[in-house]
Amino acid sequence: MDVLIHLFVGLHIIGIASLLGGFLTQMKAMGQGTARFVPAMLHGALTMLVTGVILVGLNQADDQSVNNIKVGVKLALLIVILGLVYVQRDEETVDKRLFGLVGLLTTVNVFIAVLWT
């Protein structure tokens, strides 16, 4: 079971890397007002959602404790991120504040995962 959990943790990290990497590659464009949500950001957020749900299930199946409040907060942030990226995915440009909000929420989600024990 540990190998399976570690596999999905790796996939979850790949998802966050895709979402945050897509944001970081658009930062220069954000300064110019031409940033857009790239497909990697949508796919990364979806990967995080699917692997996160699977990880919660695997950890509970392995009788490990799961902090449901932490998972709920992270899920809420991810749903907001996913909603914003999904709705604006076909737009040529996205408002700077909206784009920055997605980057901020993604960063907050990372720090919640790392620092909330």
Side-chain angles (χ1 to χ4, degrees):
M1 185 70 89
D2 283 342
V3 172
L4 197 56
I5 290 172
H6 285 59
L7 173 72
F8 280 101
V9 167
L11 292 173
H12 196 69
I13 291 170
I14 289 171
I16 191 74
S18 179
L19 177 58
L20 194 57
F23 171 79
L24 293 173
T25 61
Q26 292 287 307
M27 292 235 0
K28 184 175 181 181
M30 184 176 84
Q32 299 168 347
T34 59
R36 60 186 300 263
F37 291 128
V38 294
M41 295 174 74
L42 177 63
H43 298 149
L46 287 170
T47 300
M48 287 176 60
L49 179 65
V50 171
T51 57
V53 169
I54 291 170
L55 280 168
V56 169
L58 287 174
N59 280 305
Q60 287 180 340
D62 198 28
D63 288 329
Q64 296 181 24
S65 65
V66 175
N67 186 340
N68 290 318
I69 296 173
K70 176 182 174 180
V71 170
V73 169
K74 286 179 56 56
L75 179 62
L77 289 174
L78 184 57
I79 287 173
V80 171
I81 293 166
L82 192 53
L84 291 172
V85 173
Y86 185 78
V87 168
Q88 298 285 318
R89 73 188 183 283
D90 292 330
E91 299 297 322
E92 284 298 316
T93 60
V94 178
D95 182 52
K96 284 184 198 183
R97 294 169 297 195
L98 189 62
F99 194 79
L101 178 63
V102 168
L104 176 68
L105 292 176
T106 302
T107 304
V108 168
N109 214 347
V110 169
F111 280 108
I112 288 172
V114 173
L115 298 176
W116 188 339
T117 55

